[in-house]
Amino acid sequence: MHALIIVDIQQDFCEGGTLAVNDGAQTAALITEYMNQCGQKFDVIATTRDWHIDPGPHFSDEPDFENTWPVHCVAGTPGAELHENLDTEFIDAEFLKGQYNDGYSGFDGILGEPDLIRNQDGMAGPYGATAAAAAATDSSSITMDEWLREHDVERVTIVGIATDHCVRATAMDASDAGYEVRVITNLTAGVSDKNIDDATDEMEDCGVMLSEWPGAKTFIG
């Protein structure tokens, strides 16, 4: 079985968000086009979200944009929502990560409850997370690895944001867990060119396959 994992295509990581990367919105649109054209090759499709409640030193008033960051993707706020260019009709499961830590890897996430994600009543944590959003994984303890294995997945293809952080961490954890892993690099967007180059080298060294989707050029053109 083959899974597509879409990493963190969220409002705060796209143009207008608090931690936007270049071409984030375009990457979201490209992934939707990729699913329209190629989605049938995947047995399941999952997405991840940063879902921060109180992630400690991950947030900083003076971020270095490598280990510390501005406040972003607070659970239950508009910035944590999936970007409107991403068609959620294709998605079978969402994994929420980083509630109380950095949460770079999708393999740190827990299967979320959509009804609770969309409930905005009450507050939790110091950054304005909603109480219901903070409880969005309370009814589940299912990790991404457990969910993939329940679906007999052996191969994963990874796309999303950011190439040099959460995509990298998710791909390397997938490889360490024994999956055959591919990252489609032109369906990702990153923070810095140098870090992207370092991340792709690191992923390749771990056995992750890197490729490009030829259809992206046609869609952009």
Side-chain angles (χ1 to χ4, degrees):
M1 295 290 189
H2 190 182
L4 177 66
I5 300 173
I6 304 168
V7 176
D8 296 3
I9 300 293
Q10 293 171 267
Q11 296 286 356
D12 271 347
F13 295 138
C14 298
E15 290 79 352
T18 61
L19 190 52
V21 301
N22 291 332
D23 300 323
Q26 177 176 280
T27 299
L30 281 170
I31 292 170
T32 290
E33 186 63 20
Y34 177 71
M35 290 190 291
N36 279 321
Q37 294 191 28
C38 305
Q40 69 280 358
K41 74 167 72 172
F42 299 104
D43 299 287
V44 290
I45 297 177
T47 190
T48 69
R49 295 200 214 186
D50 268 8
W51 201 247
H52 296 307
I53 298 167
D54 185 7
H58 186 67
F59 286 170
S60 173
D61 293 332
E62 297 180 352
D64 62 17
F65 295 93
E66 290 189 5
N67 299 301
T68 59
W69 308 93
V71 174
H72 62 275
C73 297
V74 173
T77 66
E81 290 298 310
L82 297 173
H83 193 272
E84 61 268 19
N85 288 354
L86 183 70
D87 190 344
T88 59
E89 178 183 355
F90 294 95
I91 294 170
D92 298 302
E94 296 183 19
F95 291 86
L96 309 180
K97 59 190 178 66
Q99 289 90 333
Y100 299 100
N101 53 34
D102 294 339
Y104 289 116
S105 173
F107 281 77
D108 293 333
I110 299 295
L111 185 67
E113 171 54 57
D115 290 340
L116 290 179
I117 290 171
R118 291 172 177 80
N119 186 327
Q120 300 295 308
D121 294 337
M123 305 299 290
Y127 299 101
T130 67
T137 59
D138 283 359
S139 62
S140 171
S141 60
I142 299 172
T143 65
M144 177 178 283
D145 185 45
E146 290 168 340
W147 185 82
L148 292 172
R149 295 189 190 282
E150 285 176 2
H151 289 82
D152 298 321
V153 170
E154 297 177 345
R155 295 185 293 148
V156 297
T157 293
I158 300 173
V159 299
I161 299 172
T163 318
D164 39 342
H165 293 282
C166 293
V167 169
R168 168 196 164 278
T170 302
M172 293 182 66
D173 278 356
S175 181
D176 287 345
Y179 297 95
E180 180 182 314
V181 186
R182 178 175 63 131
V183 171
I184 305 179
T185 56
N186 63 346
L187 297 182
T188 70
V191 176
S192 79
D193 290 341
K194 179 186 182 304
N195 286 348
I196 290 169
D197 290 341
D198 290 345
T200 53
D201 288 345
E202 193 172 1
M203 287 188 285
E204 282 193 304
D205 288 345
C206 285
V208 174
M209 295 174 286
L210 305 179
S211 65
E212 292 190 349
W213 178 47
K217 297 177 182 178
T218 303
F219 181 69
I220 294 172

